[in-house]
Amino acid sequence: MRVIIKDNSVDCSTWVAGYIAYSIKKAKPTAKKPFVLGLPTGSTPLGVYKELIKLYQNKKISFEHVVTFNMDEYIGLSPDDKNSYHYFMHENFFNYINISPKNIHILNGLTKDYAKECEDYENAIKAYGGIDLMLGGIGSDGHIAFNEPFSSFTSRTRIKTLAPSTIKDNSRFFDNDITKVPSQALTIGIGTIMDAKEVIIMATGENKAEAIRSTIEEPINHKCPASILQMHRYGIIICDEEAVKKLSSPTIQYFKDIENRI
Ligand code: GLP
């Protein structure tokens, strides 16, 4: 597992956007063999989306042959609800780049048949040959996508009931009213994330410090779903200084030394 520690969230976003652009270019995607990108919502990746839009506007990158799969969606919110992840992705990213609508995949939170929706999503990912690069954030309880603590490490796309701490954290988008936050979501599984060829998890801010300590310094543990990244062949965790506040000094020094020598 590679751990990159940057001074602040802006530097994290710049690095991640640059890495995504580099990976897309390196793959030389075509209509027949597109680059498959897994994407998150939340406040953490906002800077990455801004940076990618800039790279697109400056003609440094094209999304013509990029296919995206979003990690999750709330149950019961329509795509035009401002709190839906459909709305979020279009407002913050897709509306400003040259991605084709047919290449955008987001779970349908209004489906009547959750099992079919989830199975179709897994099959669609498989049909593209899997996810090349999966970007994710992390919840303060260590969740990735909406895989809450104690989710199975082999889980696939499915319906999940959200943990009270996640509902509380996400209520800031719902007028700080926990009763307005949907209690369930559709989410790709931990197994789905682990199948991606590369995974990058971003964490910024002090409220992620405990989740990052547990992810990096504790043994793999389903109480902290992100800790499974220790088992990924190409897993990267990128944090700002605030998010590594609870790591021990030798751990911080170890990873900084390695990055300084790359
Ligand atoms: C939600 C999303 C996660 C995201 C997490 C953290 O629960 N389902 O994918 O990582 O929030 O969000 P933020 O980046 O806003 O802290």
Short mmCIF file of all heavy atoms in Angstrom, two decimals, residues 40-45 71-72 85 136-139 143-146 166 170 172-173 207-208, ligand 1:
data_model
loop_
_atom_site.label_atom_id
_atom_site.label_comp_id
_atom_site.label_asym_id
_atom_site.label_seq_id
_atom_site.Cartn_x
_atom_site.Cartn_y
_atom_site.Cartn_z
N PRO A 40 -16.28 8.68 -6.93
CA PRO A 40 -17.03 8.92 -5.70
C PRO A 40 -17.75 10.27 -5.70
O PRO A 40 -17.48 11.13 -6.54
CB PRO A 40 -15.91 8.96 -4.66
CG PRO A 40 -14.79 9.65 -5.40
CD PRO A 40 -14.95 9.31 -6.86
N THR A 41 -18.58 10.45 -4.71
CA THR A 41 -19.14 11.78 -4.44
C THR A 41 -18.55 12.24 -3.10
O THR A 41 -17.56 11.68 -2.64
CB THR A 41 -20.68 11.70 -4.33
OG1 THR A 41 -20.98 10.72 -3.35
CG2 THR A 41 -21.30 11.33 -5.66
N GLY A 42 -19.16 13.23 -2.49
CA GLY A 42 -18.66 13.74 -1.21
C GLY A 42 -17.87 15.00 -1.41
O GLY A 42 -17.59 15.42 -2.55
N SER A 43 -17.49 15.66 -0.30
CA SER A 43 -16.75 16.91 -0.43
C SER A 43 -15.28 16.68 -0.78
O SER A 43 -14.65 17.52 -1.43
CB SER A 43 -16.87 17.77 0.83
OG SER A 43 -17.01 16.95 1.95
N THR A 44 -14.74 15.52 -0.39
CA THR A 44 -13.30 15.28 -0.62
C THR A 44 -12.91 15.34 -2.10
O THR A 44 -11.90 15.97 -2.42
CB THR A 44 -12.89 13.93 -0.01
OG1 THR A 44 -13.43 13.85 1.31
CG2 THR A 44 -11.39 13.78 0.05
N PRO A 45 -13.65 14.70 -3.03
CA PRO A 45 -13.18 14.71 -4.42
C PRO A 45 -13.51 15.98 -5.20
O PRO A 45 -13.13 16.10 -6.38
CB PRO A 45 -13.90 13.50 -5.04
CG PRO A 45 -15.13 13.34 -4.24
CD PRO A 45 -14.82 13.83 -2.85
N MET A 71 -19.80 5.10 -7.43
CA MET A 71 -19.77 4.11 -6.35
C MET A 71 -21.15 3.79 -5.77
O MET A 71 -21.43 2.68 -5.38
CB MET A 71 -18.93 4.64 -5.19
CG MET A 71 -17.46 4.72 -5.45
SD MET A 71 -16.62 5.28 -3.97
CE MET A 71 -15.32 4.05 -3.85
N ASP A 72 -22.00 4.82 -5.69
CA ASP A 72 -23.22 4.60 -4.89
C ASP A 72 -24.30 5.63 -5.21
O ASP A 72 -24.05 6.61 -5.92
CB ASP A 72 -22.88 4.61 -3.39
CG ASP A 72 -21.90 5.72 -3.01
OD1 ASP A 72 -21.78 6.70 -3.78
OD2 ASP A 72 -21.26 5.62 -1.96
N TYR A 85 -26.80 11.58 -5.94
CA TYR A 85 -25.44 11.53 -6.46
C TYR A 85 -25.43 11.72 -7.98
O TYR A 85 -24.42 12.16 -8.53
CB TYR A 85 -24.75 10.25 -6.01
CG TYR A 85 -24.39 10.25 -4.52
CD1 TYR A 85 -23.98 9.10 -3.86
CD2 TYR A 85 -24.45 11.43 -3.78
CE1 TYR A 85 -23.65 9.11 -2.51
CE2 TYR A 85 -24.12 11.46 -2.44
CZ TYR A 85 -23.71 10.30 -1.80
OH TYR A 85 -23.37 10.32 -0.48
N GLY A 136 -11.85 6.84 -4.51
CA GLY A 136 -12.84 6.85 -3.42
C GLY A 136 -12.45 7.83 -2.33
O GLY A 136 -11.29 8.23 -2.21
N GLY A 137 -13.45 8.19 -1.54
CA GLY A 137 -13.18 8.93 -0.31
C GLY A 137 -13.27 7.93 0.83
O GLY A 137 -13.27 6.71 0.61
N ILE A 138 -13.36 8.43 2.03
CA ILE A 138 -13.50 7.53 3.19
C ILE A 138 -14.43 8.20 4.20
O ILE A 138 -14.39 9.43 4.38
CB ILE A 138 -12.10 7.23 3.81
CG1 ILE A 138 -12.20 6.20 4.94
CG2 ILE A 138 -11.39 8.48 4.28
CD1 ILE A 138 -10.84 5.66 5.41
N GLY A 139 -15.29 7.43 4.81
CA GLY A 139 -16.16 7.98 5.85
C GLY A 139 -15.40 8.09 7.16
O GLY A 139 -14.36 7.45 7.34
N HIS A 143 -15.77 3.83 6.32
CA HIS A 143 -16.50 3.23 5.20
C HIS A 143 -15.94 3.70 3.85
O HIS A 143 -15.40 4.80 3.74
CB HIS A 143 -18.02 3.44 5.31
CG HIS A 143 -18.53 4.81 5.00
ND1 HIS A 143 -19.17 5.60 5.92
CD2 HIS A 143 -18.54 5.54 3.85
CE1 HIS A 143 -19.54 6.74 5.35
NE2 HIS A 143 -19.17 6.73 4.10
N ILE A 144 -16.06 2.81 2.86
CA ILE A 144 -15.70 3.18 1.48
C ILE A 144 -16.94 2.91 0.63
O ILE A 144 -17.61 1.91 0.82
CB ILE A 144 -14.45 2.42 0.96
CG1 ILE A 144 -14.44 0.94 1.37
CG2 ILE A 144 -13.19 3.11 1.43
CD1 ILE A 144 -13.25 0.15 0.85
N ALA A 145 -17.22 3.80 -0.32
CA ALA A 145 -18.53 3.86 -0.98
C ALA A 145 -19.56 3.92 0.17
O ALA A 145 -19.39 4.73 1.09
CB ALA A 145 -18.75 2.71 -1.94
N PHE A 146 -20.57 3.04 0.17
CA PHE A 146 -21.44 3.01 1.36
C PHE A 146 -21.28 1.66 2.08
O PHE A 146 -22.22 1.14 2.66
CB PHE A 146 -22.90 3.26 0.98
CG PHE A 146 -23.31 4.71 1.08
CD1 PHE A 146 -23.99 5.32 0.05
CD2 PHE A 146 -23.04 5.47 2.21
CE1 PHE A 146 -24.40 6.66 0.12
CE2 PHE A 146 -23.42 6.81 2.31
CZ PHE A 146 -24.10 7.40 1.26
N THR A 166 -22.88 7.80 9.70
CA THR A 166 -22.87 8.28 8.32
C THR A 166 -24.05 9.22 8.08
O THR A 166 -23.91 10.26 7.43
CB THR A 166 -22.92 7.07 7.35
OG1 THR A 166 -21.79 6.24 7.61
CG2 THR A 166 -22.91 7.50 5.90
N ASN A 170 -23.58 12.99 6.92
CA ASN A 170 -24.12 13.45 5.63
C ASN A 170 -25.31 14.40 5.79
O ASN A 170 -25.75 14.99 4.80
CB ASN A 170 -24.49 12.25 4.75
CG ASN A 170 -23.24 11.49 4.30
OD1 ASN A 170 -22.12 11.85 4.65
ND2 ASN A 170 -23.41 10.43 3.54
N ARG A 172 -25.30 17.20 6.84
CA ARG A 172 -24.92 18.59 6.49
C ARG A 172 -25.42 18.98 5.10
O ARG A 172 -25.60 20.15 4.80
CB ARG A 172 -23.42 18.80 6.63
CG ARG A 172 -22.55 18.04 5.64
CD ARG A 172 -21.07 18.21 6.03
NE ARG A 172 -20.15 17.78 4.99
CZ ARG A 172 -19.83 16.52 4.75
NH1 ARG A 172 -20.37 15.55 5.48
NH2 ARG A 172 -18.96 16.22 3.80
N PHE A 173 -25.66 17.98 4.25
CA PHE A 173 -26.20 18.29 2.91
C PHE A 173 -27.74 18.33 2.92
O PHE A 173 -28.36 18.65 1.93
CB PHE A 173 -25.75 17.22 1.90
CG PHE A 173 -24.26 17.12 1.77
CD1 PHE A 173 -23.56 16.01 2.25
CD2 PHE A 173 -23.52 18.16 1.19
CE1 PHE A 173 -22.18 15.92 2.13
CE2 PHE A 173 -22.14 18.08 1.07
CZ PHE A 173 -21.47 16.96 1.56
N ASN A 207 -11.30 15.15 10.73
CA ASN A 207 -12.36 14.16 11.08
C ASN A 207 -12.14 12.80 10.41
O ASN A 207 -12.87 11.85 10.69
CB ASN A 207 -13.78 14.71 10.81
CG ASN A 207 -14.05 14.87 9.33
OD1 ASN A 207 -13.13 15.16 8.56
ND2 ASN A 207 -15.28 14.68 8.93
N LYS A 208 -11.12 12.71 9.55
CA LYS A 208 -10.79 11.41 8.94
C LYS A 208 -9.57 10.77 9.63
O LYS A 208 -9.16 9.67 9.25
CB LYS A 208 -10.51 11.58 7.44
CG LYS A 208 -11.65 12.22 6.66
CD LYS A 208 -12.89 11.35 6.64
CE LYS A 208 -14.12 12.06 6.11
NZ LYS A 208 -14.08 12.39 4.70
C1 GLP B 1 -20.44 9.33 1.63
C2 GLP B 1 -20.09 8.58 0.36
C3 GLP B 1 -18.65 8.09 0.39
C4 GLP B 1 -17.73 9.21 0.82
C5 GLP B 1 -18.10 9.67 2.20
C6 GLP B 1 -17.20 10.78 2.72
O1 GLP B 1 -20.87 8.51 2.65
N1 GLP B 1 -20.93 7.47 0.13
O2 GLP B 1 -18.30 7.60 -0.89
O3 GLP B 1 -16.38 8.77 0.78
O4 GLP B 1 -19.43 10.16 2.14
O5 GLP B 1 -17.62 12.00 2.22
P1 GLP B 1 -16.84 13.35 2.36
O6 GLP B 1 -15.80 13.32 1.30
O7 GLP B 1 -17.85 14.41 2.12
O8 GLP B 1 -16.25 13.40 3.73
#
